[in-house]
Amino acid sequence: MIFPCHLQELAEKGKKSLCPSNPKISIGLATCGRSSGALDLEKKLTARQSWKSEVLVGGVGCLGACYAEPLVSLRTPDGRYYFYGFHGQADSNSLWQIIRAAEGVPSTRYLLARARERQPGTLQGIQDLELEKVGDPGFALFFKAQARRITGRCGLINPESLPEYVATGGYSALARALFQLQPEDVIAMVAASGLRGRGGAGFLTGKKWELASLSPDPERIVIANADEGDPGAYMDRALLESDPHSVLEGLILASYAVRASRAYVFVRHEYPLAVQNLRRAISAARAVGILGKQILGSGFSLEVHLVESPGAFVCGEETSMLRVMTGKRGEPYLRPPYPSSAGLWGHPTVVNNVETLANIPWIILHGPDAFREVGTEKSPGTKIFCLAGDVKRPGFIEVPLGTSTRAVIEEIGGAAPSSIKALQVGGPSGGIVPYSDFSLDYESVASLGAIMGSGGLVVLNTNRCLVDLARHLVDFMARESCGKCLFCRDGLAELEAMMTSLTNGEARSEVVLAELEELSKAVADMALCGLGKTAVNPVLTSLKFFREEYEAHARGKCPALTCRPLINFEIISSQCRDCRCCYLVCPTDAVKRRGGRELYAVAQEHCIKCRACYETCPFGCIKITSEGRL
Ligand SMILES: Cc1cc2nc3c(=O)[nH]c(=O)nc-3n(C[C@H](O)[C@H](O)[C@H](O)COP(=O)(O)O)c2cc1C
Ligand code: SF4
Ligand code: SF4
Ligand code: SF4
């Protein structure tokens, strides 16, 4: 068993590996880095015999700038950091640049930025780095508007190293709570912070804990919900892959606050790296007495178990999750009773999202007032968003709630405002809203008819067909319906069929729009759980804001020129230079060579609308048309 002074020993050990006296190369080995070739880089750098232990090579998590992966940082013994990004092109030349940099000739090629530790040898997170030189202005802009409170360690520490977590202040909130605060104090602090659950509904975390703690049942349970299944959202995965101990510490603190004796992490099995890092974190914590009996020598004991979820979207819904954990089918049930009064096996159960839990250590260390220093009155603190779609710099970011969409999409993401038509907020059941400058907080997003969800943000440019996008999202939700209620099961399938009739030109009148609206509202009203209730949001919001696109589809026209059954490809003969590119690239021989002035023409009956000719023609003489019915 260790006592808090042992945390000091762990911290010293972590400090040595985090801020060593030799040059140290860290490679981003989260899923985004791996998919861009980071493992290969790591293998080659680790195998460099001549370095022996003069240059250290190791793995870290994700810094957030996923667009520039693989990302590599070099720390020199004087506390300088050189960040390199290879934008998916890590070849032998990039490898050579890192090698030279580690050997004392830092290269400016591929350099994103150079920073230094404000106090050399001391690092708690990215906030302790001071920018010295900008190699790529986009990289500096990516971080400028961010406030990385809970993601500060991501991409800087080795997620497998408990000592590095402790060296960056980890588990000191736990020690503080166990030895200086009563469980009620912890609940009071969380309640005073105004923290709202980051898993979607935005329920007040302090309130939830209070309800569970008031239960007469002494056996209480806490579950970290890591079943993140929204397409386009990966904040929980990024946290678990890059800084699993922060979630674990939050989970232990939540358990202490409600006096739970058992805790679980419910994590989707499609996140193998997150599962692996979590398992390692749990056993490392147990090995030094941070989990198990009498944690850190206090009177509090806790076991944490990991449960791999089967991976359906509906299993993330809390009642459905509780059923899965007892070996039943993943089907939600009607509340009340709420899990906080009767949850797993009938015991009071607190279910909290991964990001919610990662906020807890910060609140305990800095206090509720400091937590409220950023964000809005009703939505305090920061939020992680996953920025995707038509932006220059997709990635995962942390900003104060209430940050403007302009700051997020244009400054951080680098999108040109004139090119953006809409935003899909809150994952598949969030909403499709016009792009304008609005505040990213729970109330503002709800006032548009959408929901924040867990934080997916997809940017859609003017070439995107929003009717087709809404159809696609309804299709996803219909497939993910557990089938328990008629309106969700059959209503969503019918909605999808109606949307398909619009995108394939079979809808013959605008009557279908009224029907779409009516059915969507009926599904939302009659569905039992949040899946069915919110599945229709993309249809309702896009109908509200982009009705003219629906009306055009009802007339057989796709204004964005993307719905295949509604478009045609034509060759503008007057501009054609007879380069044959379209003729050669067409996979179905639909481009026919003609004689006379019309050199080429598209045989519509053979064209599969693959766009290859359009994208290949070097002279821009392929035209896409969507005439519609008169
Ligand atoms: C269909 C559906 C899927 C959900 N998936 C998740 C999920 O993956 N992770 C999560 O934390 N919450 C998810 N939720 C919300 C949870 O039911 C629950 O509200 C949340 O875990 C509570 O934690 P919080 O208060 O910290 O947000 C989902 C809800 C629905 C309706
Ligand atoms: S609303 Fe849909 S997902 Fe939820 S319980 Fe009903 S059928 Fe299942
Ligand atoms: S869109 Fe595809 S199939 Fe049609 S003509 Fe062009 S290349 Fe051929
Ligand atoms: S690719 Fe363009 S320029 Fe070349 S033959 Fe086709 S239409 Fe003409």
Side-chain angles (χ1 to χ4, degrees):
M1 183 178 313
I2 71 160
F3 294 90
C5 59
H6 293 92
L7 280 185
Q8 197 51 45
E9 281 170 29
L10 279 172
E12 291 302 325
K13 194 171 162 203
K15 209 166 145 185
K16 279 195 188 126
S17 66
L18 204 58
C19 305
S21 49
N22 289 351
K24 178 183 162 191
I25 297 173
S26 300
I27 303 147
L29 292 182
T31 299
C32 44
R34 286 170 190 235
S35 62
S36 306
L39 281 174
D40 190 42
L41 266 183
E42 187 210 18
K43 201 164 130 201
K44 288 181 176 142
L45 288 167
T46 316
R48 195 166 172 82
Q49 291 291 327
S50 61
W51 279 347
K52 297 204 173 55
S53 58
E54 284 160 25
V55 176
L56 309 169
V57 180
V60 288
C62 173
L63 201 60
C66 309
Y67 71 94
E69 294 280 5
L71 280 169
V72 177
S73 66
L74 166 73
R75 181 191 184 274
T76 50
D78 59 356
R80 284 213 159 76
Y81 280 75
Y82 296 81
F83 290 99
Y84 294 100
F86 301 100
H87 301 269
Q89 314 271 319
D91 51 17
S92 49
N93 183 32
S94 23
L95 187 75
W96 180 236
Q97 303 293 332
I98 305 169
I99 292 169
R100 276 174 58 84
E103 289 176 345
V105 196
S107 139
T108 50
R109 203 144 169 230
Y110 307 109
L111 182 73
L112 300 171
R114 192 183 77 202
R116 73 193 312 264
E117 287 156 2
R118 285 203 175 85
Q119 290 180 307
T122 313
L123 186 70
Q124 303 252 309
I126 199 164
Q127 66 281 2
D128 295 334
L129 291 182
E130 195 178 334
L131 189 64
E132 280 191 332
K133 182 182 165 132
V134 174
D136 169 6
F139 187 71
L141 284 172
F142 185 81
F143 288 99
K144 201 171 161 209
Q146 293 199 47
R148 295 176 65 107
R149 276 186 181 176
I150 57 167
T151 55
R153 296 185 186 93
C154 298
L156 291 182
I157 65 162
N158 174 357
E160 293 180 19
S161 166
L162 171 62
E164 286 191 14
Y165 179 69
V166 177
T168 48
Y171 290 117
S172 47
L174 179 65
R176 168 149 197 243
L178 292 181
F179 296 105
Q180 294 173 5
L181 302 171
Q182 292 303 311
E184 308 75 71
D185 302 331
V186 177
I187 297 181
M189 285 176 84
V190 173
S193 75
L195 172 68
R196 300 176 65 162
R198 304 301 197 223
F203 193 78
L204 288 167
T205 305
K207 185 96 203 139
K208 193 183 271 188
W209 291 12
E210 204 180 315
L211 286 171
S213 71
L214 291 175
S215 167
D217 183 344
E219 192 168 348
R220 298 177 193 140
I221 296 165
V222 179
I223 304 173
N225 189 345
D227 200 43
E228 186 174 68
D230 329 18
Y234 57 96
M235 17 296 136
D236 295 355
R237 175 172 63 72
L239 266 176
L240 292 170
E241 287 182 354
S242 310
D243 192 9
H245 281 285
S246 68
V247 180
L248 198 55
E249 187 176 0
L251 182 60
I252 305 171
L253 281 164
S255 306
Y256 175 68
V258 302
R259 294 188 163 90
S261 54
R262 254 181 307 161
Y264 295 86
V265 188
F266 185 75
V267 53
R268 60 174 30 227
H269 77 272
E270 287 97 333
Y271 281 0
L273 187 59
V275 171
Q276 175 190 302
N277 287 358
L278 253 175
R279 279 198 199 286
R280 288 191 176 147
I282 293 171
S283 41
R286 193 178 284 128
V288 297
I290 288 173
L291 278 176
K293 290 212 182 318
Q294 298 181 328
I295 292 176
L296 292 174
S298 72
F300 178 64
S301 303
L302 180 79
E303 283 302 339
V304 172
H305 308 274
L306 193 143
V307 179
E308 283 190 52
S309 96
F313 183 48
V314 74
C315 293
E317 195 281 337
E318 57 189 20
T319 62
S320 163
M321 181 183 76
L322 294 174
R323 281 178 60 92
V324 172
M325 289 176 74
T326 52
K328 299 191 183 113
R329 262 177 75 109
E331 278 180 357
Y333 58 79
L334 202 61
R335 296 169 298 177
Y338 288 94
S340 40
S341 50
L344 198 59
W345 297 295
H347 298 300
T349 305
V350 166
V351 179
N352 270 138
N353 168 262
V354 163
E355 186 187 337
T356 313
L357 291 169
N359 271 289
I360 307 298
W362 201 97
I363 293 170
I364 301 302
L365 281 185
H366 299 88
D369 292 341
F371 183 80
R372 284 183 170 279
E373 269 168 19
V374 302
T376 66
E377 175 61 26
K378 288 189 175 162
S379 301
T382 59
K383 175 84 194 84
I384 307 179
F385 290 99
C386 285
L387 195 54
D390 299 314
V391 277
K392 264 198 220 151
R393 296 184 285 271
F396 95 105
I397 60 168
E398 184 183 354
V399 289
L401 276 160
T403 299
S404 69
T405 45
R406 201 190 58 72
V408 170
I409 310 298
E410 296 170 36
E411 284 173 30
I412 299 178
S418 58
S419 69
I420 316 167
K421 176 160 73 176
L423 284 185
Q424 186 213 328
V425 287
S429 50
I432 302 171
V433 300
Y435 180 64
S436 63
D437 193 13
F438 64 88
S439 156
L440 283 165
D441 61 76
Y442 291 90
E443 289 72 33
S444 307
V445 174
S447 71
L448 294 167
I451 53 170
M452 283 269 283
S454 53
L457 265 187
V458 183
V459 180
L460 303 154
N461 71 18
T462 44
N463 298 326
R464 306 285 166 186
C465 174
L466 303 183
V467 180
D468 193 44
L469 174 68
R471 181 201 59 77
H472 175 76
L473 296 173
V474 171
D475 180 41
F476 171 80
M477 298 302 270
R479 285 166 197 266
E480 295 293 323
S481 164
C482 79
K484 188 168 172 171
C485 356
L486 173 83
F487 269 82
C488 175
R489 185 186 63 230
D490 293 352
L492 287 180
E494 180 56 24
L495 209 55
E496 200 274 328
M498 286 158 80
M499 297 292 287
T500 304
S501 77
L502 279 166
T503 55
N504 70 12
E506 282 167 7
R508 290 276 145 188
S509 88
E510 287 179 22
V511 173
V512 74
L513 306 193
E515 290 171 355
L516 270 178
E517 204 159 354
E518 196 183 345
L519 181 56
S520 299
K521 287 181 177 160
V523 171
D525 282 349
M526 305 299 284
L528 184 154
C529 85
L531 188 147
K533 288 197 175 300
T534 58
V536 295
N537 281 345
V539 179
L540 289 174
T541 46
S542 55
L543 251 174
K544 177 174 162 194
F545 295 113
F546 302 96
R547 198 174 182 90
E548 66 292 350
E549 288 202 22
Y550 279 81
E551 287 164 355
H553 280 76
R555 294 195 303 274
K557 186 171 176 171
C558 174
L561 304 174
T562 53
C563 290
R564 289 185 188 196
L566 307 182
I567 58 172
N568 282 317
F569 289 76
E570 288 168 19
I571 292 173
I572 312 166
S573 298
S574 57
Q575 292 170 22
C576 175
R577 309 265 190 98
D578 196 10
C579 71
R580 287 166 53 92
C581 290
C582 58
Y583 179 75
L584 295 172
V585 81
C586 179
T588 59
D589 289 335
V591 176
K592 302 287 180 199
R593 192 169 167 81
R594 299 265 170 90
R597 289 179 62 204
E598 191 189 37
L599 284 171
Y600 299 90
V602 175
Q604 300 299 337
E605 68 278 18
H606 297 305
C607 175
I608 54 166
K609 327 273 174 88
C610 70
R611 299 175 83 92
C613 56
Y614 177 78
E615 273 148 24
T616 309
C617 177
F619 305 105
C621 27
I622 313 259
K623 193 166 88 176
I624 309 178
T625 59
S626 182
E627 298 302 331
R629 291 183 294 273
L630 291 174

